[in-house]
Amino acid sequence: MSFDRSIKIAPSILAADFANFGAEIEAVESQGADWIHVDVMDGHFVPNISFGATTCKAIRPHIKTVMDVHLMIAPVDPYIEAFAEAGADFITAHVEAGPHIHRTLQAIRATGAKAGVALNPGTPAEAVAHLLDLVDLVCVMTVNPGFGGQKFIDMSAKITTLRNMIGDRPIHIEIDGGVDPTTAPIIAGAGANVLVAGSAVFRGGSVTDPTPYGENIKAIRAAIG
Ligand code: DX5
Ligand code: ZN
């Protein structure tokens, strides 16, 4: 079977109700989410703390699609096993998080999880040139990581470069930060296929009124065409 490069919308639960993750995940999946994006922040690699592997394990049974864990932590390696045991399908580490990203990606794959590598806006595409045989996903940050609801930084040229570097390899290009119906066409046009969106999906709805989640997801898809 050929690699599935169709567009996937991955709502980030960073924008969900933190007291209600299980129900929020079920609501957004019922409204058309393809993956669930889980943002782990340590207050060290990024200037904000979210939650860790224990929370990931607790929410796992509520995820029927794909659990996409984005680690904004340093160091990464001591915690890989815990996130794999929590049931992550994808574990993504930042290339900037330490001197041994190659070792980190090997360690992620050794757990059986799929491995992702993320690039901050200031990091060039070439930083992953020697990692392409070790990854299942490249995440291009279109904000400086740490917070939801920030302004989109256009990384189209980087996405296009990565798309060409990846060629036929079975690697997803994921975009994270500031994705909404205005920015999504730019991103998809440049060659990305996984669109993380937090505030643009969760705005206007709730677990008791999840219809806006579906409308927001549809609006992003419709904008891509
Ligand atoms: C940023 C996180 C993102 C964030 C996206 O550090 O990695 O996943 O939640 O949020 P929005 O879509 O609101 O920019
Ligand atoms: Zn993220």
Side-chain angles (χ1 to χ4, degrees):
M1 207 177 94
S2 65
F3 186 68
D4 178 11
R5 257 183 247 283
S6 63
I7 297 285
K8 287 154 202 69
I9 309 293
S12 164
I13 58 166
L14 197 64
D17 175 3
F18 269 46
N20 227 347
F21 274 153
E24 285 278 48
I25 288 163
E26 287 167 17
V28 83
E29 284 192 343
S30 76
Q31 293 293 321
D34 297 299
W35 292 10
I36 298 296
H37 186 80
V38 180
D39 285 309
V40 176
M41 303 179 177
D42 68 351
H44 169 73
F45 178 69
V46 291
N48 191 14
I49 300 176
S50 59
F51 48 76
T54 311
T55 302
C56 290
K57 191 171 189 171
I59 65 176
R60 173 71 259 197
H62 300 273
I63 300 175
K64 293 194 194 67
T65 58
V66 171
M67 185 181 200
D68 174 33
V69 175
H70 177 194
L71 297 180
M72 288 161 274
I73 67 174
V76 179
D77 295 7
Y79 303 102
I80 290 171
E81 195 64 45
F83 287 102
E85 274 173 20
D89 294 299
F90 284 82
I91 299 177
T92 295
H94 270 260
V95 74
E96 307 87 0
H100 299 297
I101 186 65
H102 193 282
R103 174 183 290 145
T104 299
L105 295 169
Q106 286 178 318
I108 293 171
R109 278 209 170 155
T111 68
K114 293 194 188 309
V117 63
L119 302 175
N120 281 336
T123 303
E126 289 70 21
V128 302
H130 300 282
L131 303 172
L132 294 179
D133 292 331
L134 284 172
V135 296
D136 305 286
L137 177 150
V138 178
C139 173
V140 177
M141 296 302 303
T142 38
V143 297
N144 287 295
F147 304 94
Q150 300 184 83
K151 192 175 178 311
F152 178 78
I153 303 167
D154 191 354
M155 290 281 132
S156 311
K158 193 195 290 191
I159 300 166
T160 304
T161 303
L162 280 167
R163 190 68 205 85
N164 292 331
M165 283 166 69
I166 286 169
D168 290 334
R169 289 181 177 86
I171 301 174
H172 297 287
I173 300 182
E174 175 178 77
I175 304 304
D176 190 0
V179 174
D180 64 19
T182 317
T183 57
I186 304 169
I187 295 156
N193 68 296
V194 182
L195 275 55
V196 175
S199 37
V201 167
F202 284 96
R203 74 166 58 106
S206 69
V207 293
T208 50
D209 177 23
T211 318
Y213 298 168
E215 291 167 355
N216 293 338
I217 291 170
K218 281 198 199 83
I220 294 172
R221 282 196 208 284
I224 297 167

